[in-house]
Amino acid sequence: MLRMRQHGCNFAQECKQPIQVLWLSKPAERAALSQEDKQGWRCIPRLYAKVMRYTVARLVGFSLVLGMTCASFAQDQQERDAKARPPTAAAPAVIWSDPGDIAAKNLLYGSGGEKGQPHPPFTFVEEDTEGSNPKFDVRDADGEKWKVKLGVEARPETVATRLLWAIGYFSEDDYLLPEIKVANLPEQLHRGQEFVKAGGIFQNARFKRHPKHTDKDGTWEWRKNPFTGTRELNALRVMMALFNNWDVKDENNAIYIDKETGRQLYLVSDLGASFGTIGYRLGAGRGKGAVGPYKHSKFISHVHKHDETVDFAAPAHSTVLGVLGLFSIPNFVTRMQLRWIGRDIPLADARWVGGLLTRLKPEQIEDAFRSAGYSDKDVRTYSEAVEKRIEKLAKL
């Protein structure tokens, strides 16, 4: 039976009039076509050819873009690997030390203490264009050099460093200053110009400096380091999950050489993607430092009784929405490769770090968030959420 429908041939420009698009079920019916029908059929092969050429061109273009994206991702990975050089010293490597009396720690000021705070006035030194957040170096009234970070990462990073330091992990000295004035600013910053107010004023600026008496000596990898399989490294992985720190790339880790003892200090240097969602998100803030999502996010995913291990929800992969854009493919691949950091952690190691955290008083946890300039309401909400997570660790 001959089935026909009218179809405008606006794809094939040479077909000015509507044409008959035919679907023929039997060869005999094709032979019975009138001359007029056959005339209308002639442009079908041309239309089909144009459609095919258009489709192939789009597929080729997509493949080229995908290939270039993957090549760019591979090149970026090679550059990151080149920066992640091993430490040059032969002294012992350490990632944790006995914190002593945890309940006596002052989390309002952290590892640097009250006297170690940056003192104004501040003078601009140079801009730091690495990473994803605006940063620049300044010197304070004492000639001390500090790295200032602006934006959404400033507050959560300040809190995370204090909690790590409280239970024995190494950290840089971090302080959150609610308002600062910086002299000798350039006319235009490459990044962060939107944070500059009249007179060189900035708000909620995080100040960071190296641990005392140290020099930075490269970065370290989560998979390959002197502590693989140890309780201390596994507990550090638990802490990343407790913070919901999803940006646990190797380049965010640092090795410092203690000039007095010669020890190699291993620490997590960038903790800005904490206290928000369990994974990268599109939109402003990328899910960092968001109290609502943190409070309602899942902490422990699964406890494996058969092999005595536990999986945590963070770090998670990117949102599905992020995969829809070609620009997000490298990001999605990176996040997928990082999920192992929160998985298959021995229950004994998770309980151990939970035991350390239970020594913190509620007031200390509140002080950690208060030091980052959070409102009283957010301090309470965050602190309660962290305390609940600590309870879950202790009960594993």
Side-chain angles (χ1 to χ4, degrees), residues 75 277 279:
Q75 183 178 357
T277 57

Side-chain angles (χ1 to χ4, degrees), residues 22 41 70 101 132 188 207 249 268 272 293 358 371 377-378:
L22 311 175
W41 179 259
C70 293
D101 187 359
S132 58
Q188 183 76 29
F207 280 63
K249 301 190 296 288
V268 180
T358 56
S371 73
K377 179 181 178 181
D378 286 350

Side-chain angles (χ1 to χ4, degrees), residues 377-395:
K377 179 181 178 181
D378 286 350
V379 166
R380 289 192 298 271
T381 303
Y382 266 130
S383 299
E384 290 171 1
V386 169
E387 288 173 32
K388 288 180 180 179
R389 294 191 174 200
I390 294 173
E391 290 175 8
K392 290 181 179 180
L393 288 176
K395 293 177 180 180

Side-chain angles (χ1 to χ4, degrees), residues 96 159-169 222 232-245 248 268 271 274-275 294 299 312 314 341-342 345 349-350 352-354 356-357 360 386 389-390 393:
W96 179 88
V159 180
T161 56
R162 278 159 171 69
L163 292 175
L164 284 175
W165 165 75
I167 62 170
Y169 286 97
W222 284 100
E232 290 76 16
L233 180 66
N234 290 334
L236 184 59
R237 293 163 59 194
V238 173
M239 292 300 291
M240 298 302 103
L242 185 138
F243 298 155
N244 277 7
N245 179 22
V248 284
V268 180
L271 294 154
S274 298
F275 297 109
Y294 180 78
F299 178 41
F312 294 92
I341 294 175
I345 297 174
D349 297 344
W352 176 73
V353 72
L356 293 175
L357 289 166
L360 286 168
V386 169
R389 294 191 174 200
I390 294 173
L393 288 176

Side-chain angles (χ1 to χ4, degrees), residues 274-288:
S274 298
F275 297 109
T277 57
I278 59 174
Y280 175 93
R281 295 294 181 266
L282 293 177
R286 301 289 189 263
K288 307 169 184 177

